[in-house]
Amino acid sequence: MFKKLIFIKLILFIFITFTNQKTIAQEHPKNTISLEKLLDKISNEFKILFTYNSNLLNNIKIKEEGFTKLSLKESISLLEKLTPFLFDDLGNNYYVIYPKESTYKKNYFLNDNAILRNTNDSIYKKNRFIARGVVLSSDNAPLIGATLQEDKSLAGTTTKKDGSFEFEINDSSNITFSFIGHKSKTVKLIPNIFNVIVLLSGQELEEVQIVGSRNRNRIASDTPVAIDFIDVEKSSTKSSQIEINQFLQYAIPSFNATKQSGADGADHIDPATIRGLGPDQTLVLINGKRRHQASLINLYGTRGRGNSGTDLNAIPISAIKRIELLKDGASAQYGSDAIAGVLNIILKDNDNELNINSTLGFHNANSKSVLPNKVDGFTYKLGLNYGTKINKGGFINFSTEALSTDNTIRPGTLAREKYGQAAVKNVSLFLNSEVPIYKNTKLYLNGGFNYKNTEAYAFTRKPNSERNVLEIYPSGFNPLITSNILDNSLSVGMITIFKEWNVDVNNTFGRNNFHYFIKNTVNATLEKNSPIEFDAGGHQLIQNTTSIDFSKYFKTNSSGFNIALGLEYRLDKYKIFAGEEASYAAYDINENVITPQTPLSDYKLYNGIIRPGGSQGFPGYSLENEVDRNRSNFSVYADTEIDFSKNLMLAAALRYEYYSDFGNRLNYKIASRFKINKTVNLRGSFSTGFRAPSLAQKYYNLTFTNFIGDLPTESLLVANNSSIARIFNIDKLKEETAKNFSLGFTSKIGNNFRASLDTYIVYIEDRIILSGNFDASNIDFGIDNVQFFANGVNTKTTGVDLLLHWQNKIGMGTFSVDFSGNINHMSISEIKNKMLDKETFFGKREQQFLLASAPNSKFNVGLNYDFKRFKTSLNFTRFSEIKLIDWQLSQDLSNFNNSEQERLEAATDIYQPKITTDLHVSYQVNTKINAQLGVNNLFNIYPTEQNSFTDSGGLWDATQMGTNGSFYYSKLNIKL
């Protein structure tokens, strides 16, 4: 406790010291200097550019003293008062200087000797004129082949070799300037003036508030760690974009999210992983604020077993402006759950624009044919986004989205006739708003509501089985697991400036409620009197986070440094609520609920076998399963970024966290970026991290039917705090700890080529796993097996992320190539089974589930060609081999010549490397309408077919590209 107090006092001392520090301006002589020198200083200080005739400012002197503490706006205003010139703001930090008496009556144009010159070349024809100018990148490099398009006629042209243009337009038209890799700009060109258009490059747009840095001066290309940026709107012509997980699966190689099947709750909320680490080891932010996780914990037959992830698909794509993925450990910056990295979702902030997008699509239902002669999985999606201004400088942006996806049915097995993807009905409403309320102060608000109704088929119940009632289902039945999932969030905050410190005060609330309803089922102990639908109960997670953050950039003579400090308090509340009695209870021959006192003679039997209770497919949560637990977390952090020079920066972070249920952690991070030359940056980092055990991992418990091959058994997943866990020598859960190393480089050569390569090593100790099934027949609970959550393994993950982008003009269009890849290898360095049987605790099957969380490699190649109104994209994705071990491993050894090696080889399912092809074509009908057609998985590629012993119950597990086959779609985008 003494160390904690010392640490907190140290943080407060640093904050008070810097808060009360006065920034003393450097004293300057009171004599005059040339106006050109003064403009140079203003340009360097505020990062702006002045354009003027080289002879215009000759012999003009001005006193520098009055400009030492002025803002840019105040400096420009004072210059216009003290000089005979006007300073015209062209946008993008570009100012043109000309004499006041001209006021656009004289014309200034570029030549070889001066920035501006006089000319009389204006040509007017009725309401049309010849517009002239130049298109520059923000580094003043001319953009060759930039596109100009008139909004009324859609006529267009491109810039010349020196970036200049001449274009006859209507005087009321707006002209859109665009160049690959740069932000498009729509402006009204001015007659008789040489128009200077500056386009920001894509990397410069991913600027200021980027994930991984609290330095508002930092841009993406200067970060010391790997960050992927995805402009969602620009990427819309390269993807069907139905849900975020599906979108990111093909946009970022290290991101993996395959639709699950036969995995209970995971069929309804897709688990996603980064670099093969757990779904709960990636922190998700919205606009930089922590997003709550789902209440679901992944259990049976799925990736991310024993983990709770965030339901990314609850966030409508229509609401997203861009996505930032920090691929580096960040616990010292953002807290628990950031071992694998941080996914930051930036919401749209546009105003005075209505965007309507719709998607219609379907899957090829024939797994053996490239061309669809049968279809299923019909998909309908409608999204709306509208923004409007509020007061001066404020906005409110609304997004709503409705999605309907039908089931897909693929070849099954005797264990599961209805194998395929779950059906989903999804409705979302999101908003994002900022409102200035005072000078340098604004309020912001964002959040939304999502309702999801899902349907997934469970394993088949055979006719002559103790689990079936022949009077109701003479031919057996396929239970249907459905769910109602409510997910809502609200983040409210205020940003202001206090004594030159940026201050952000925020409160974020989030809730995920998952409610099961089992249909087309029975409670076999009720026999012919059984209902066929049950309310099975569910679970809920509520999270509330309150934070205050301070940051300030200090300039020095050489460069500068940034200081950020903050406090955070979080409250988590987890709940399991029971379903109706018949969904979980077993009834005796007298129709009474079976208890430990019920004599065996009163149990209901079928062919001498005891009938199991509860709803078939998914047994409901009982009163004994109910949980209502909470915990609190307090954290304090400090981080800094020091720019020693333009070439060298160093970042460091320190974060202390205290959890009310398990204790405290102190984590740190150091990172650096060194600019080798103008085109190449070297970067690297080292950090410690941790992840607190989730409340679900600590308190989740359920009795359920576990299928081993096609043999059902009754299993009990025991809560970690249960006395049964202590009987089996399972310790109380503690935090996972990690060490992250990364080293890489980035390169940008001109506007046509970018490259980055980052290597990483992640060591994780005490990873929480879901154990295998221990024999519980000697425990008087009426169950066959028990499972536990435990700090079971240590792992090491190494890998490489690679990104290449090249573009060039070809003919009248632009051709670009995007290549990205991830090579990833995970190994288990220790299994902490103590005195328990190692194979049962975390055997070869469970180990392989963990190791196969991601392919060993995934590569994406995108070929893109833009020609006038057409955009085409051809994408190839290669998934490496994946190995899993199926349920044959549990069969009697005598079936395999009494050879464990033969049994292991028979049980090993090898999914060979596969390549999928996606084709997308879009056409700009006019300035408001864009139409798109496309096919994902054009050649209907599936994973390697297996036998009937898979965990999913089908011929494939949910690996690689999934098991839905080709998806044909059409999209319509309308901007009003």
Side-chain angles (χ1 to χ4, degrees):
M1 181 61 71
F2 177 76
K3 291 183 178 179
K4 297 177 192 173
L5 292 174
I6 292 295
F7 177 76
I8 294 173
K9 287 180 180 180
L10 177 61
I11 295 297
L12 293 175
F13 173 77
I14 294 172
F15 172 65
I16 293 170
T17 301
F18 282 114
T19 303
N20 291 298
Q21 175 178 324
K22 294 184 179 179
T23 303
I24 302 174
Q26 182 179 350
E27 293 187 0
H28 298 273
K30 296 185 179 182
N31 59 338
T32 60
I33 63 171
S34 70
L35 180 55
E36 284 184 291
K37 287 185 177 181
L38 178 59
L39 293 179
D40 286 342
K41 291 190 175 185
I42 295 175
S43 176
N44 292 330
E45 180 177 359
F46 296 105
K47 310 300 181 186
I48 62 174
L49 296 171
F50 291 106
T51 299
Y52 51 89
N53 185 288
S54 59
N55 298 320
L56 187 65
L57 309 184
N58 285 351
N59 302 319
I60 295 181
K61 302 288 186 179
I62 196 166
K63 287 186 177 182
E64 184 184 9
E65 179 185 9
F67 292 86
T68 54
K69 294 185 180 181
L70 298 185
S71 66
L72 174 60
K73 184 177 180 180
E74 291 168 336
S75 297
I76 296 297
S77 177
L78 183 58
L79 283 169
E80 289 188 330
K81 292 176 182 178
L82 298 178
T83 68
F85 305 122
L86 289 176
F87 294 76
D88 187 28
D89 183 2
L90 298 182
N92 290 308
N93 300 328
Y94 218 100
Y95 287 81
V96 173
I97 305 174
Y98 54 88
K100 288 178 181 177
E101 63 271 16
S102 67
T103 319
Y104 287 115
K105 291 180 181 178
K106 294 183 179 180
N107 309 310
Y108 293 86
F109 292 93
L110 289 176
N111 65 12
D112 294 334
N113 301 316
I115 299 177
L116 298 174
R117 66 179 175 86
N118 293 328
T119 187
N120 295 309
D121 292 338
S122 297
I123 301 175
Y124 287 91
K125 295 180 180 179
K126 295 182 179 179
N127 295 325
R128 300 185 69 77
F129 69 95
I130 299 293
R132 293 182 175 87
V134 66
V135 181
L136 305 173
S137 185
S138 54
D139 59 0
N140 281 335
L143 296 179
I144 306 167
T147 302
L148 290 72
Q149 187 173 54
E150 188 177 18
D151 64 347
K152 296 184 181 300
S153 66
L154 292 181
T157 187
T158 58
T159 56
K160 301 174 185 178
K161 291 184 178 180
D162 59 356
S164 65
F165 63 86
E166 290 187 0
F167 189 26
E168 184 177 10
I169 61 173
N170 190 288
D171 60 6
S172 61
S173 294
N174 290 321
I175 306 299
T176 298
F177 293 81
S178 58
F179 188 78
I180 293 293
H182 289 66
K183 177 69 172 178
S184 297
K185 179 189 287 188
T186 300
V187 299
K188 187 180 291 294
L189 297 179
I190 302 170
N192 303 325
I193 290 296
F194 192 82
N195 297 271
V196 179
I197 308 299
V198 180
L199 302 183
L200 290 179
S201 71
Q203 283 194 333
E204 290 165 317
L205 292 170
E206 294 141 0
E207 41 19 333
V208 190
Q209 222 161 357
I210 54 175
V211 65
S213 174
R214 294 183 172 91
N215 182 352
R216 299 196 174 198
N217 298 310
R218 183 74 56 218
I219 64 173
S221 58
D222 285 339
T223 59
V225 292
I227 303 176
D228 283 344
F229 293 86
I230 302 174
D231 186 313
V232 172
E233 185 174 359
K234 284 186 178 181
S235 302
S236 63
T237 57
K238 304 176 186 179
S239 171
S240 59
Q241 277 200 160
I242 299 299
E243 297 172 313
I244 295 181
N245 276 344
Q246 174 193 6
F247 175 50
L248 294 178
Q249 163 83 344
Y250 291 93
I252 301 176
S254 58
F255 184 96
N256 289 277
T258 305
K259 291 282 185 182
Q260 302 295 298
S261 186
D264 291 343
D267 285 17
H268 310 259
I269 296 180
D270 301 333
T273 67
I274 294 175
R275 292 176 169 173
L277 302 180
D280 53 6
Q281 291 171 338
T282 298
L283 176 62
V284 177
L285 309 175
I286 292 188
N287 284 359
K289 306 304 178 187
R290 177 181 284 265
R291 173 78 173 178
H292 61 279
Q293 290 184 334
S295 59
L296 171 74
I297 190 162
N298 301 311
L299 298 175
Y300 174 69
T302 182
R303 309 295 83 77
R305 293 175 57 151
N307 299 154
S308 296
T310 299
D311 187 4
L312 294 175
N313 290 339
I315 307 166
I317 287 184
S318 301
I320 300 175
K321 179 180 181 180
R322 73 174 184 268
I323 297 174
E324 305 169 348
L325 176 60
L326 167 64
K327 297 181 294 187
D328 193 58
S331 294
Q333 295 168 286
Y334 297 101
S336 178
D337 309 336
I339 289 176
V342 180
L343 186 74
N344 187 26
I345 296 173
I346 306 298
L347 300 178
K348 287 184 178 178
D349 55 5
N350 55 289
D351 53 46
N352 290 337
E353 184 176 84
L354 173 64
N355 289 276
I356 306 170
N357 65 83
S358 64
T359 302
L360 298 176
F362 56 85
H363 287 278
N364 181 354
N366 188 340
S367 62
K368 303 295 184 181
S369 173
V370 173
L371 296 177
N373 53 24
K374 182 182 177 182
V375 299
D376 64 3
F378 284 94
T379 298
Y380 313 90
K381 176 182 170 183
L382 176 65
L384 303 175
N385 176 265
Y386 176 71
T388 186
K389 294 182 183 296
I390 298 180
N391 296 335
K392 186 177 180 180
F395 71 89
I396 184 168
N397 185 283
F398 293 96
S399 300
T400 184
E401 199 168 273
L403 170 65
S404 173
T405 302
D406 293 343
N407 292 89
T408 60
I409 302 298
R410 297 294 175 265
T413 62
L414 291 176
R416 190 174 176 211
E417 298 172 350
K418 298 285 189 179
Y419 169 78
Q421 172 187 296
V424 177
K425 302 292 185 290
N426 194 335
V427 178
S428 302
L429 175 65
F430 256 67
L431 65 88
N432 184 32
S433 180
E434 289 184 2
V435 182
I437 58 174
Y438 188 66
K439 183 179 180 181
N440 296 325
T441 302
K442 62 182 177 182
L443 296 177
Y444 62 88
L445 178 149
N446 65 74
F449 169 84
N450 174 263
Y451 169 77
K452 188 185 302 184
N453 174 254
T454 62
E455 294 183 350
Y457 286 103
F459 280 64
T460 300
R461 267 52 177 180
K462 298 176 182 178
N464 294 314
S465 165
E466 70 279 5
R467 298 173 183 275
N468 183 37
V469 178
L470 288 170
E471 292 87 343
I472 301 177
Y473 300 110
S475 302
F477 64 100
N478 294 286
L480 194 61
I481 303 175
T482 77
S483 68
N484 291 341
I485 304 173
L486 293 174
D487 197 293
N488 52 287
S489 62
L490 182 64
S491 182
V492 180
M494 180 185 73
I495 297 175
T496 188
I497 297 177
F498 176 72
K499 292 188 177 181
E500 299 183 358
W501 282 79
N502 301 301
V503 183
D504 186 346
V505 182
N506 174 269
N507 189 84
T508 299
F509 170 86
R511 179 183 68 156
N512 179 271
N513 183 287
F514 195 123
H515 199 157
Y516 289 94
F517 295 89
I518 315 305
K519 301 179 181 180
N520 196 46
T521 184
V522 293
N523 182 324
T525 62
L526 290 173
E527 298 182 322
K528 65 181 180 180
N529 296 319
S530 172
I532 60 173
E533 294 186 7
F534 297 94
D535 176 349
H539 32 74
Q540 175 177 268
L541 177 68
I542 293 176
Q543 186 175 93
N544 192 81
T545 306
T546 303
S547 64
I548 180 167
D549 303 280
F550 306 89
S551 67
K552 182 178 179 180
Y553 189 79
F554 295 84
K555 291 185 178 180
T556 64
N557 291 333
S558 58
S559 196
F561 62 96
N562 192 82
I563 291 288
L565 307 163
L567 304 171
E568 181 180 281
Y569 178 79
R570 188 168 77 249
L571 179 65
D572 296 332
K573 186 177 179 65
Y574 179 70
K575 183 178 182 181
I576 295 177
F577 50 94
E580 60 181 290
E581 181 183 88
S583 73
Y584 59 82
Y587 297 89
D588 63 16
I589 57 177
N590 301 311
E591 304 300 329
N592 295 320
V593 175
I594 292 177
T595 67
Q597 288 73 41
T598 303
L600 189 61
S601 59
D602 287 350
Y603 280 62
K604 290 184 177 180
L605 307 177
Y606 180 83
N607 290 338
I609 302 175
I610 297 175
R611 285 187 178 274
S615 51
Q616 288 298 305
F618 186 90
Y621 294 98
S622 70
L623 295 174
E624 287 74 21
N625 295 136
E626 286 194 327
V627 167
D628 192 353
R629 296 279 186 163
N630 61 70
R631 73 173 174 205
S632 61
N633 159 258
F634 170 77
S635 61
V636 55
Y637 75 86
D639 76 28
T640 184
E641 292 183 6
I642 304 172
D643 294 305
F644 292 101
S645 67
K646 291 182 179 180
N647 295 331
L648 178 64
M649 68 83 66
L650 178 69
L654 189 67
R655 189 180 187 100
Y656 170 82
E657 300 215 18
Y658 174 77
Y659 280 80
S660 59
D661 59 345
F662 78 84
N664 60 82
R665 287 291 304 177
L666 180 65
N667 287 285
Y668 63 90
K669 179 175 183 174
I670 55 174
S672 182
R673 185 266 304 148
F674 177 69
K675 189 181 290 292
I676 298 175
N677 53 43
K678 290 183 178 181
T679 62
V680 179
N681 286 344
L682 183 67
R683 60 192 183 189
S685 71
F686 169 75
S687 65
T688 63
F690 83 109
R691 190 192 70 80
S694 69
L695 292 178
Q697 288 172 325
K698 296 187 69 172
Y699 301 114
Y700 187 86
N701 66 105
L702 176 67
T703 301
F704 61 99
T705 303
N706 195 0
F707 274 78
I708 301 177
D710 60 354
L711 179 65
T713 62
E714 295 303 308
S715 295
L716 172 64
L717 202 167
V718 178
N720 181 259
N721 66 331
S722 166
S723 58
I724 299 177
R726 303 292 91 81
I727 292 174
F728 281 83
N729 200 26
I730 302 295
D731 293 333
K732 291 183 178 180
L733 292 179
K734 59 183 179 180
E735 72 275 20
E736 302 171 340
T737 60
K739 293 180 181 179
N740 291 65
F741 300 83
S742 71
L743 181 65
F745 77 90
T746 63
S747 177
K748 180 184 178 184
I749 302 175
N751 294 311
N752 294 333
F753 180 77
R754 295 197 310 271
S756 67
L757 185 146
D758 292 275
T759 61
Y760 57 88
I761 304 176
V762 185
Y763 296 94
I764 304 179
E765 293 187 358
D766 298 316
R767 285 187 69 164
I768 297 174
I769 53 95
L770 178 61
S771 75
N773 291 281
F774 287 89
D775 181 12
S777 57
N778 60 339
I779 302 178
D780 188 18
F781 274 90
I783 53 177
D784 303 309
N785 304 295
V786 292
Q787 287 179 281
F788 310 96
F789 291 105
N791 293 101
V793 298
N794 295 346
T795 63
K796 175 185 176 182
T797 302
T798 59
V800 178
D801 285 320
L802 175 65
L803 174 65
L804 301 173
H805 171 80
W806 175 85
Q807 66 186 31
N808 208 347
K809 298 288 292 184
I810 295 182
M812 295 294 292
T814 302
F815 179 69
S816 65
V817 179
D818 292 294
F819 175 81
S820 56
N822 172 252
I823 300 173
N824 192 78
H825 176 73
M826 184 191 300
S827 60
I828 298 174
S829 55
E830 183 181 357
I831 297 177
K832 302 186 175 185
N833 56 303
K834 295 186 177 180
M835 302 301 294
L836 296 172
D837 178 68
K838 182 177 179 180
E839 185 62 26
T840 306
F841 178 74
F842 200 65
K844 295 181 180 66
R845 242 181 66 80
E846 284 72 25
Q847 292 175 41
Q848 204 59 39
F849 264 118
L850 179 64
L851 297 175
S853 296
N856 286 336
S857 65
K858 188 169 74 172
F859 295 98
N860 296 336
V861 178
L863 309 176
N864 314 290
Y865 188 69
D866 298 354
F867 176 74
K868 294 185 177 179
R869 301 187 185 189
F870 283 96
K871 290 185 178 181
T872 60
S873 175
L874 184 63
N875 300 319
F876 303 93
T877 304
R878 183 190 185 275
F879 301 86
S880 70
E881 177 182 281
I882 286 181
K883 291 183 180 180
L884 291 174
I885 297 178
D886 63 36
W887 283 115
Q888 291 182 86
L889 194 67
S890 64
Q891 291 188 338
D892 193 280
L893 203 60
S894 61
N895 297 332
F896 304 92
N897 299 318
N898 292 319
S899 169
E900 291 189 2
Q901 182 62 32
E902 284 189 23
R903 183 172 64 177
L904 178 60
E905 290 176 0
T908 301
D909 296 334
I910 299 177
Y911 293 90
Q912 299 291 342
K914 297 286 183 175
I915 298 176
T916 62
T917 305
D918 303 333
L919 177 64
H920 313 279
V921 180
S922 72
Y923 177 71
Q924 192 69 39
V925 179
N926 54 40
T927 56
K928 302 182 184 303
I929 301 175
N930 177 275
Q932 182 175 332
L933 295 173
V935 187
N936 291 342
N937 195 354
L938 177 64
F939 299 109
N940 203 32
I941 302 299
Y942 280 74
T944 306
E945 192 172 296
Q946 306 298 330
N947 52 38
S948 60
F949 291 92
T950 63
D951 271 76
S952 68
L955 297 179
W956 313 272
D957 277 302
T959 60
Q960 297 172 329
M961 75 295 297
T963 59
N964 284 327
S966 300
F967 179 69
Y968 297 81
Y969 74 92
S970 64
K971 289 176 63 176
L972 189 65
N973 300 291
I974 302 173
K975 285 187 178 182
L976 301 173

